[in-house]
Amino acid sequence: MSISVGLNCPACGGAIQVADGEQVVNCEYCGSMLYLEGDGGVNTIAFKMKVDRGAARAVSEEWFRKDWKARDLRKEAKVLEIYPIYLPFWSIKMRVIGWICGYDERTYSDSKGHTRTERIPKEEMVLNDYQYSEIACDPGDLGIKRLRNFLGESEFEDFGNIPTYEATTSKDEAMKRIGEEALNDARGEAHVQHVTFERVHVLPRALSMIYYPIWVVRYGYREKMYIYTVDGVSGEIISGRAPGDPLFQSLAITAGTTIGGLIAAGSLYLMAASETMDPTITLIGLAAGAIITFGAYMFFRHGSEIIEGDFTDKKYGLGGLDEMGVVSDLLKGRIDLGGRI
Amino acid sequence: MKVVQVRCPNCSQPIYSKIKDIVFFCENCKVLHIRGGETKVIDYEIADFNKTITAEKKYMPFWRVWCNFTINESRVSGGTFRKMAQFMRGGGNSGSLFVFVPASEMDVATFKQLAMDLTMSPPRYSTRLDFGGLQRLPTKITNGEAENVSDFVFVTIQADKPGILQDLDYDLVCQEARMVYLPFVVTESGPRPAW
Ligand SMILES: [Zn+2]
């Protein structure tokens, strides 16, 4: 993961290669050991803008066609504004090292309905390196919260003439947030249901501030304004909003509702047909049917827009799944109630 | 952001190396130092290698951390073996030990094995003043991190077989880490001691 930077060896003048977050550098020409000294221990690098205005505009051609975007989008979309910016990101490597101990519980039930709970003791060693990034400013809602790419050609703090957002979040807070995220990821990987002992160290391994070049493109479609952003290094779309296609939406809702309904009906039919069958299978079937129906509904409820990236008002994806979680719990409650009658 | 040439804090000679090491050894005056927020000279020992071993030997860096511990309570499912008995003082529940933290890059299994083996049976060796022309593996863990990792090694010893660790109430106080270079022969089944 080597980045070429615009710095030279103070001993021989040779160009230096640095890896993200690393402080020690060997001059490959004279063999001198070199050390990078950043402000407060933070290395700052800026990736070179590799994508020009024309390419940033052209990348939409393909993107407009994908997914269920309005079919006439390519023809009707008018680019209103297109400009480059640099956004600052904290880039942190974290090593998580420790032990998480406890137990899992498994409940078995026999044919007579007796249940038995077994405790399975667990001791899980945690030893992982994670790489995280987090945007270090508030650029408005561009749908960008983290870096996807850590590779590029770099200059140290040379932004050309491109407007640059200042970093506004503090290093300590970013480290703290990312430390918690790393700890949670480690807990997730250890997968101990009931924790009785936890001793985990989160060690920041490398910290740098990366200024990343991005194209912002605003375009209009039938009186409404939309946006997309382009990675200035790879030329790929990072985030964007686009109008959805009304026909695709109605088709998908119909299909989703039909499949959901069929699964629910099928599981009820199975229960009626076999008296010995475990009723939980029917309940799972009903729930699955409901979730699929509901999923199709959530996906297209706000259907006028297709959204990609980390927008705060994202209508589906993670946001939609959260809502689905709540509703499927409610559904379970209702099904349990029905079972007692 | 600037780049500086690393010079020995003792004799000011520039340091040359082909490998990326976070500790810097001065060939001129034999001072070892590390840089982070500040430049710090580190105490170190180099274990003499066994000259009768003809296979290629390499020096691996370890942080050796002197730790005082007290085990208030330990609960292990399916095992009651007292792992720290050899380090306990007079039948009590506290004692002291040198924790060895492997400081170079290696896979998790080797890391665990080396840390456990060296901590449970501390190596005896005579020391020498230089590396005798042997290759030296680069250090990747800082002295500051070594203290946290000592704590990890301590718990790892408790968690190691037999039984499954369920709870451990303990205090561990670590002193400043010292660097120890130990010679190993690298084999397919992992590093083999060569002192
Ligand atoms: Zn010196």
Side-chain angles (χ1 to χ4, degrees):
Chain A
M1 234 180 56
S2 200
I3 302 167
S4 63
V5 296
L7 282 180
N8 298 86
C9 172
C12 76
I16 303 171
Q17 298 268 324
V18 191
D20 171 33
E22 282 205 344
Q23 230 116 28
V24 178
V25 187
N26 308 79
C27 174
E28 57 180 295
Y29 304 101
C30 72
S32 288
M33 286 291 255
L34 308 173
Y35 194 77
L36 290 174
E37 286 179 344
D39 290 337
V42 183
N43 289 3
T44 305
I45 40 182
F47 285 117
K48 261 188 193 161
M49 176 64 94
K50 289 295 214 183
V51 175
D52 64 20
R53 187 174 299 263
R57 179 191 281 255
V59 69
S60 65
E61 287 285 308
E62 165 97 40
W63 188 67
F64 282 166
R65 245 183 304 169
K66 274 198 311 199
D67 303 326
W68 295 291
K69 298 186 186 88
R71 274 160 297 162
D72 58 352
L73 187 56
R74 274 173 73 203
K75 214 173 77 208
E76 297 294 326
K78 302 263 181 307
V79 171
L80 306 171
E81 199 181 11
I82 172 164
Y83 58 91
I85 49 168
Y86 265 105
L87 292 180
F89 293 86
W90 294 108
S91 162
I92 306 181
K93 280 186 201 128
M94 289 282 186
R95 174 164 295 176
V96 181
I97 181 166
W99 285 89
I100 299 175
C101 305
Y103 57 90
D104 286 357
E105 269 183 345
R106 244 166 253 158
T107 305
Y108 304 91
S109 51
D110 60 21
S111 54
K112 292 184 186 108
H114 297 299
T115 60
R116 177 173 60 89
T117 301
E118 195 187 341
R119 258 189 197 196
I120 302 139
K122 283 175 107 176
E123 51 175 19
E124 297 294 328
M125 189 171 87
V126 173
L127 209 173
N128 260 320
D129 285 334
Y130 297 102
Q131 165 103 50
Y132 295 95
S133 68
E134 181 189 280
I135 193 154
C137 69
D138 179 11
D141 211 0
L142 295 179
I144 302 172
K145 293 224 169 103
R146 25 179 100 237
L147 276 178
R148 287 124 211 260
N149 169 41
F150 295 90
L151 288 175
E153 217 178 296
S154 159
E155 299 281 359
F156 279 93
E157 300 173 66
D158 178 6
F159 306 110
N161 291 317
I162 298 172
T164 303
Y165 277 84
E166 292 272 334
T168 52
T169 63
S170 87
K171 168 184 126 183
D172 294 343
E173 297 218 328
M175 293 260 261
K176 197 169 159 243
R177 266 193 302 275
I178 288 175
E180 276 160 19
E181 198 178 339
L183 185 56
N184 278 332
D185 285 352
R187 284 183 184 136
E189 275 177 45
H191 210 76
V192 179
Q193 276 178 11
H194 304 271
V195 175
T196 53
F197 172 79
E198 182 183 278
R199 187 80 175 160
V200 179
H201 304 271
V202 179
L203 310 173
R205 301 286 293 164
L207 170 68
S208 46
M209 172 73 78
I210 296 179
Y211 284 88
Y212 205 90
I214 283 153
W215 284 98
V216 178
V217 184
R218 295 187 195 276
Y219 66 96
Y221 170 81
R222 298 196 180 170
E223 321 281 290
K224 280 189 82 179
M225 198 155 91
Y226 298 90
I227 190 176
Y228 70 86
T229 61
V230 180
D231 186 315
V233 176
S234 71
E236 282 164 19
I237 299 255
I238 302 174
S239 64
R241 292 169 170 274
D245 192 282
L247 176 65
F248 288 155
Q249 283 157 32
S250 52
L251 282 177
I253 287 183
T254 313
T257 315
T258 311
I259 293 167
L262 280 174
I263 291 178
S267 48
L268 277 174
Y269 172 78
L270 274 175
M271 184 166 79
S274 122
E275 294 200 344
T276 55
M277 200 184 79
D278 186 345
T280 50
I281 292 175
T282 311
L283 293 184
I284 289 167
L286 279 173
I291 286 169
I292 289 173
T293 309
F294 184 73
Y297 169 70
M298 283 307 293
F299 200 79
F300 289 105
R301 182 177 56 153
H302 306 278
S304 55
E305 222 172 305
I306 305 287
I307 304 179
E308 220 170 274
D310 305 320
F311 287 96
T312 47
D313 64 336
K314 202 167 173 185
K315 303 283 182 3
Y316 57 88
L318 280 177
L321 281 174
D322 282 349
E323 286 182 56
M324 274 168 66
V326 172
V327 174
S328 64
D329 284 340
L330 285 174
L331 278 169
K332 260 190 261 161
R334 218 172 66 202
I335 290 163
D336 285 345
L337 212 71
R340 275 206 294 273
I341 292 168
Chain B
M1 184 96 186
K2 59 175 183 173
V3 57
V4 295
Q5 189 174 19
V6 175
R7 286 172 180 274
C8 171
N10 186 50
C11 73
S12 301
Q13 285 295 306
I15 288 166
Y16 297 95
S17 175
K18 287 263 175 268
I19 51 167
K20 210 164 270 187
D21 197 331
I22 63 165
V23 299
F24 308 100
F25 181 71
C26 176
E27 299 286 350
N28 182 45
C29 70
K30 317 290 180 213
V31 160
L32 188 72
H33 83 275
I34 190 164
R35 277 158 198 249
E38 47 171 352
T39 298
K40 192 175 182 305
V41 173
I42 297 164
D43 284 339
Y44 69 94
E45 271 173 22
I46 303 170
D48 200 3
F49 50 85
N50 183 340
K51 286 166 195 74
T52 62
I53 298 174
T54 52
E56 194 202 352
K57 299 173 281 288
K58 286 179 181 174
Y59 272 112
M60 287 171 75
F62 293 84
W63 292 107
R64 194 184 67 187
V65 189
W66 180 249
C67 298
N68 293 306
F69 67 88
T70 304
I71 296 175
N72 304 314
E73 203 197 327
S74 165
R75 197 156 53 78
V76 177
S77 168
T80 50
F81 178 64
R82 255 187 122 196
K83 284 149 189 159
M84 297 308 252
Q86 56 170 312
F87 304 112
M88 303 274 199
R89 270 187 297 266
N93 60 347
S94 44
S96 325
L97 79 165
F98 276 124
V99 174
F100 282 78
V101 175
S104 53
E105 205 144 75
M106 62 189 72
D107 62 271
V108 174
T110 311
F111 177 90
K112 192 178 158 191
Q113 195 62 47
L114 281 173
M116 301 267 291
D117 288 354
L118 293 169
T119 303
M120 294 308 281
S121 44
R124 292 156 177 274
Y125 49 80
S126 49
T127 57
R128 52 181 296 139
L129 294 173
D130 58 18
F131 295 97
L134 260 57
Q135 198 196 327
R136 182 165 57 95
L137 296 184
T139 297
K140 298 286 181 190
I141 290 177
T142 66
N143 47 345
E145 288 169 336
E147 196 174 302
N148 289 302
V149 181
S150 302
D151 182 86
F152 167 78
V153 172
F154 183 81
V155 179
T156 303
I157 292 169
Q158 316 293 319
D160 198 42
K161 292 176 187 69
I164 299 166
L165 183 67
Q166 290 292 277
D167 202 2
L168 185 64
D169 178 2
Y170 70 102
D171 297 306
L172 187 75
V173 180
C174 300
Q175 285 173 14
E176 207 161 306
R178 169 187 278 247
M179 178 130 281
V180 175
Y181 282 98
L182 297 173
F184 284 88
V185 173
V186 180
T187 69
E188 272 181 25
S189 54
R192 213 175 56 230
W195 56 85

